[in-house]
């Protein structure tokens, strides 16, 4: 109708669930992000039941906009660990597949379960943490028109860190409660560095490390009863996070 025009083209983000057996070049980009926002181009190849290519979704100049760490559970976390990585591409094109076989063979897999983790740092006793809630690191993606091309250019923006939420037994909260009294009640605002390590099934070899910086406690609460014979009282400790780095072995 009169007065209506088609606006600039914007492509939906792509979210990938990735294990720790991706190629080293991919993990190097994850390690450097968000301090360095490198663009990546590639394709997602779709296949039939016989792994023959039927479709390619090609993307160009994509920025990482979010990395989400899934929940970790020492008691029930038996599923393989994987990160969720969200990409915002400048452009997406769908093409027909070549009909050839998909090369599904990647690097040799390293098994890491969501129950195999270790937390240390800040002078806290975190050896009895039973759960780590999922948390995300997000980088806003600003957009601007590219003139006559009628599409939006994506540029990296501000970075936001989600809260770190830990679950411990009430009887193991002494060091965390002491920090809360000092930092919140007395107002010192003390911040810590905390290391989250993902371990192999033997719990002897570190596969990946996430270093959390500027970690400050702001809330204790959310007590719950575990569904077991001992009926242990569990408490959650909430921390804000101001920075993070990642290292994949």
């Amino acid at each position: 109708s009169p007065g209506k025009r088609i606006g600039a083209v914007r492509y939906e983000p792509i979210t990938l669930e990735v294990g720790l057996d991706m190629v080293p070049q991919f993990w190097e980009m994850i390690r450097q992000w968000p301090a360095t926002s490198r663009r990546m181009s590639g394709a997602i190849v779709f296949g039939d039941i016989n792994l023959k290519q039927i479709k390619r979704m090609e993307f160009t100049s994509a920025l990482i906009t979010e990395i989400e760490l899934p929940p970790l559970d020492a008691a029930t976390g038996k599923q393989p660990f994987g990160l969720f990585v969200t990409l915002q591409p400048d452009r997406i094109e769908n093409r027909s597949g070549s009909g050839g076989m998909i090369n599904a063979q990647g690097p040799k897999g390293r098994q890491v379960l969501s129950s195999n983790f270790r937390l240390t740092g800040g002078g806290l006793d975190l050896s009895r943490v039973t759960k780590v809630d999922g948390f995300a690191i997000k980088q806003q993606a600003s957009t601007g028109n590219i003139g006559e091309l009628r599409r939006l250019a994506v540029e990296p923006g501000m970075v936001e860190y989600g809260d770190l939420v830990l679950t411990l037994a009430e009887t193991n909260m002494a060091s965390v409660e002491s920090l809360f009294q000092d930092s919140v009640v007395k107002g010192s605002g003390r911040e810590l560095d905390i290391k989250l390590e993902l371990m192999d099934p033997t719990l002897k070899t570190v596969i990946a490390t996430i270093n959390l910086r500027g970690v400050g406690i702001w809330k204790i609460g959310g007590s719950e009863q575990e569904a077991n014979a001992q009926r242990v009282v569990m408490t959650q400790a909430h921390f804000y996070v101001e920075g993070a780095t990642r290292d994949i072995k």
Side-chain angles (χ1 to χ4, degrees):
S1 62
K4 292 186 178 181
R5 297 180 180 178
I6 298 176
V9 178
R10 177 170 182 170
Y11 297 94
E12 291 294 319
I14 301 168
T15 299
L16 309 174
E17 182 178 3
V18 299
L20 297 181
D21 52 357
M22 298 290 284
V23 295
Q25 296 90 330
F26 179 85
W27 287 118
E28 182 62 18
M29 295 185 66
I30 296 296
R31 187 187 66 80
Q32 294 179 0
W33 182 84
T36 302
S37 296
R38 294 171 54 190
R39 297 180 183 272
M40 68 175 77
S41 298
I44 299 174
V45 182
F46 300 84
D48 61 16
I49 193 172
N50 297 312
L51 293 182
K52 289 186 177 181
Q53 295 185 28
I54 58 175
K55 177 183 174 182
R56 289 175 57 90
M57 186 174 73
E58 299 179 353
F59 59 89
T60 57
S61 298
L63 290 173
I64 298 173
T65 58
E66 182 175 343
I67 295 177
E68 181 182 352
L69 182 79
L72 306 174
D73 192 324
T76 63
K78 303 306 179 184
Q79 65 274 23
F81 174 86
L83 289 175
F84 293 94
V85 180
T86 299
L87 308 176
Q88 179 60 65
D90 264 358
R91 186 178 180 85
I92 292 176
E93 291 188 28
N94 291 307
R95 301 182 183 277
S96 298
S98 66
M101 296 296 294
I102 296 176
N103 180 15
Q105 184 176 1
K108 185 178 179 180
R110 295 173 293 178
Q111 185 181 23
V112 176
L113 302 180
S114 57
S115 57
N116 299 346
F117 66 90
R118 178 171 65 194
L119 281 161
T120 56
L124 300 177
D125 179 10
L126 302 176
S127 61
R128 300 297 182 90
V129 170
T130 60
K131 295 179 183 179
V132 180
D133 282 12
F135 67 92
I137 305 169
K138 300 180 181 180
Q139 184 169 44
Q140 297 178 6
S142 59
T143 57
N145 285 315
I146 308 182
E148 63 182 12
L149 295 180
R150 204 172 53 78
R151 62 185 177 88
L152 298 175
V154 181
E155 298 296 336
M158 294 180 58
V159 179
E160 301 174 354
Y161 295 88
D163 282 350
L164 174 69
V165 181
L166 309 179
T167 300
L168 303 89
E170 185 71 30
T171 53
N172 298 316
M173 285 287 292
S175 63
V176 176
E177 288 178 345
S178 177
L179 174 65
F180 183 82
Q181 289 294 321
D182 178 57
S183 183
V184 178
V185 178
K186 296 180 181 179
S188 72
R190 183 158 64 100
E191 294 182 340
L192 319 169
D193 291 341
I194 290 180
K195 181 187 295 185
L196 171 60
E197 294 173 308
L198 302 173
M199 317 292 292
D200 73 350
T202 68
L203 298 181
K204 294 180 179 180
T205 302
V206 177
I207 302 298
T209 302
I210 301 174
N211 297 296
L212 303 173
R213 306 188 310 272
V215 179
I217 193 167
W218 65 273
K219 178 183 177 183
I220 290 178
S223 297
E224 59 182 22
Q225 294 282 343
E226 268 196 353
N228 58 32
Q230 296 181 337
R231 304 292 291 174
V232 178
V233 178
M234 309 301 291
T235 300
Q236 287 185 327
H238 298 248
F239 301 81
Y240 63 82
V241 178
E242 294 187 342
T245 59
R246 295 149 298 281
D247 183 26
I248 309 297
K249 304 298 183 182

